[in-house]
Amino acid sequence: MGGLTVAGCAAADVVAAVRAMAATVAEHRTELTHLDREIGDGDHGENLAKGFAAVLAKLDAATPETPGAVLKLVATTLISTVGGASGPLFGTAFLRAATSVGDTAELDATAVAGALEAARGGVVARGKAEPGDKTMVDALTPAAAAATETAEGGGDVAAVLAAAAGAAATGAADTVPLRARKGRASYLGERSIGHADPGATSVSHLLAALAPWTS
Amino acid sequence: MTVGLVIVSHSAALASGVRELAAQMAPGVTIAVAGGTDEGGIGTSFERVTTALAEADSGDGVVVLYDLGSALLTTETAVEFSDPDAAERITVVDAPLVEGAVAAAVAAQSGTDLASVATAAQRAGASWDDAHGSGATAVSDASVSDASVSDASVPDVAVADTAVAGAGGAAVRRTATVADADGLHARPASLLAREVGRWSGTTVTLGRAGEPAVPVTDVLQLIGLGVRQGETVEIAASGEDAEAATTTLAGMIDAGLDR
């Protein structure tokens, strides 16, 4: 998309953001699946790629009119196409983000940060995971906090997303030495140590896709 | 009033099996199933759960029981995606799937409301915990069924006993001799539980004379008594229809229910 330097983020911009996410997931599919093979059941990359491919098909067929409607379409599509626990978790994240932005036609930095906080809250509520459990929450929590801090400091949408992406990448990398306490990886106990969590890694990739898109 | 049930399982066969069992004891209750993935594999499907929730909802509410971890995630997400009015009528219960489904189905059959059906399923979990819980590390075969009925910590037993013994001598007691060849097993027990469900203002318990009694509405505890053919049981009731309830139940047990 390139060149979103204005303060606002309309439905078309959110569609472009989602397309960027889909491209990233397709690109990192093998890496995510490999990570998941180490400490999960080896289908995370494939499932997420399948989900975002379905999202692209939906976006080709319809043009939602508000940012919230785009996010809701992503939510409903991911939940019915991504299997296991990831479908409900990612679906809930996008659904809560959609609810958070409501009918707003154009999202400002505060709304974007609010959507990330809402997404984080939804994942925590649904998965009952806390920071340090070696889950996607470990990437989402610092990302939402950094986004909020940047928005409160007067940063624009691009700055908020860049801060979120940076914090998510650090959060995902920090899951490597952790022992999993939630999800399938927790069955492995000590053996989950030494690998990045696939869920946290995919969150990091998704947010990283938005940073170049805004600059 | 008929509360509907939804059985969410990773396996389509398991969900159908649970429905088959529960439906035998509660033929008038809508039991919708959401088993397996959209492709028919092992897992849970958002679409199937959403469809089952709509199918089970007649307006009186829906109780959902599930098998393992991500079945709950899928169910909670489906509820969150539902129309807010419908979502208010959905209660997801953490209970052993088979026991919870049977208890909830029998409660729904008797026409009780959403909260009561959910409580019935939850209590099924409580009696299961009681029989298999941490108290007895080595579960000796003979003590399992006794423990589930005699332990005073099961809340509904204690409540029922108090209600019968108290109430200013209002308790009505009657004895009956079990005619059924297989004793008070699942089907007779569910028929008694459903019958008692008709007298909402009356508390009825059943047990062997001199032994702790169980509430007749709790079909799992009733089965757990293991009462056999020819045994004499005491039915005790308090409340406005105590007389009618004891007479009817004694008549049913004396005549035999499994016909």
Side-chain angles (χ1 to χ4, degrees), chain B residues 177-197:
Chain B
T177 304
V178 176
D180 288 309
D182 295 325
L184 291 185
H185 68 101
R187 228 181 66 82
S190 67
L191 290 171
L192 293 175
R194 277 154 55 180
E195 190 65 27
V196 168

Side-chain angles (χ1 to χ4, degrees), chain A:
Chain A
M1 172 91 186
L4 184 88
T5 50
V6 292
C9 185
D13 300 312
V14 180
V15 168
V18 171
R19 289 187 183 279
M21 287 183 173
T24 293
V25 169
E27 188 187 329
H28 292 278
R29 173 165 60 185
T30 312
E31 177 211 332
L32 290 172
T33 291
H34 177 73
L35 271 182
D36 195 34
R37 200 167 285 144
E38 298 292 343
I39 62 173
D41 52 1
D43 59 2
H44 184 60
E46 293 306 322
N47 283 345
L48 211 54
K50 189 174 72 176
F52 271 96
V55 168
L56 288 182
K58 288 267 181 74
L59 287 175
D60 287 340
T63 315
E65 287 182 4
T66 60
V70 178
L71 295 170
K72 187 160 187 191
L73 183 142
V74 175
T76 51
T77 310
L78 288 184
I79 198 151
S80 6
T81 51
V82 182
S86 292
L89 291 170
F90 278 100
T92 300
F94 278 95
L95 179 69
R96 293 283 179 97
T99 308
S100 152
V101 303
D103 294 331
T104 315
E106 204 162 288
L107 307 182
D108 59 11
T110 305
V112 171
L116 274 170
E117 292 282 6
R120 189 204 82 92
V123 172
V124 168
R126 184 111 312 136
K128 316 277 190 291
E130 289 168 14
D133 285 346
K134 200 181 180 97
T135 70
M136 56 196 283
V137 170
D138 290 316
L140 264 178
T141 299
T148 301
E149 198 185 319
T150 306
E152 284 172 355
D156 63 6
V157 171
V160 164
L161 290 174
T170 307
D174 288 349
T175 63
V176 172
L178 296 177
R179 175 183 168 154
R181 289 198 295 252
K182 287 279 175 192
R184 196 179 289 261
S186 64
Y187 303 156
L188 294 173
E190 299 290 331
R191 282 193 290 137
S192 65
I193 296 172
H195 300 280
D197 177 64
T201 306
S202 50
V203 167
S204 164
H205 284 317
L206 289 173
L207 290 173
L210 304 182
W213 162 75
T214 56
S215 61

Side-chain angles (χ1 to χ4, degrees), chain B residues 72-86:
Chain B
L72 176 61
L73 284 183
T74 308
T75 302
E76 286 180 342
T77 312
V79 173
E80 186 171 337
F81 271 73
S82 302
D83 171 60
D85 287 345

Side-chain angles (χ1 to χ4, degrees), chain B residues 2 14 36 46 51 64 69 87 113 115 156 185 190 209 212 236 238:
Chain B
T2 312
L14 181 55
F46 175 76
T51 306
V64 186
D113 63 11
D156 41 13
H185 68 101
S190 67
S238 61

Side-chain angles (χ1 to χ4, degrees), chain B residues 27-259:
Chain B
V29 177
T30 302
I31 305 174
V33 292
T37 63
D38 290 334
E39 294 80 27
I42 295 291
T44 51
S45 150
F46 175 76
E47 299 290 341
R48 289 187 181 197
V49 174
T50 301
T51 306
L53 288 173
E55 191 188 324
D57 185 16
S58 66
D60 293 332
V62 177
V63 166
V64 186
L65 290 133
Y66 61 92
D67 60 359
L68 302 167
S70 64
L72 176 61
L73 284 183
T74 308
T75 302
E76 286 180 342
T77 312
V79 173
E80 186 171 337
F81 271 73
S82 302
D83 171 60
D85 287 345
E88 271 183 19
R89 297 192 295 270
I90 300 170
T91 304
V92 183
V93 179
D94 178 16
L97 186 59
V98 175
E99 289 89 340
V102 167
V106 171
Q109 178 78 42
S110 70
T112 54
D113 63 11
L114 176 61
S116 306
V117 174
T119 303
Q122 256 147 11
R123 282 185 185 163
S127 13
W128 196 90
D129 284 347
D130 224 62
H132 305 268
S134 53
T137 38
V139 181
S140 67
D141 45 9
S143 69
V144 174
S145 60
D146 287 349
S148 66
V149 295
S150 62
D151 191 328
S153 73
V154 176
D156 41 13
V157 174
V159 169
D161 280 352
T162 314
V164 172
V172 177
R173 291 171 192 277
R174 234 174 216 97
T175 55
T177 304
V178 176
D180 288 309
D182 295 325
L184 291 185
H185 68 101
R187 228 181 66 82
S190 67
L191 290 171
L192 293 175
R194 277 154 55 180
E195 190 65 27
V196 168
R198 288 171 210 237
W199 294 291
S200 55
T202 306
T203 307
V204 188
T205 65
L206 183 151
R208 296 182 180 88
E211 291 182 20
V214 303
V216 179
T217 46
D218 191 329
V219 69
L220 296 176
Q221 290 201 53
L222 213 50
I223 295 167
L225 288 173
V227 178
R228 300 195 180 150
Q229 184 182 33
E231 283 197 79
T232 299
V233 292
E234 186 175 76
I235 303 147
S238 61
E240 47 193 282
D241 296 311
E243 193 68 42
T246 50
T247 307
T248 307
L249 256 61
M252 290 167 76
I253 294 168
D254 280 332
L257 295 132
D258 210 7
R259 289 177 293 175

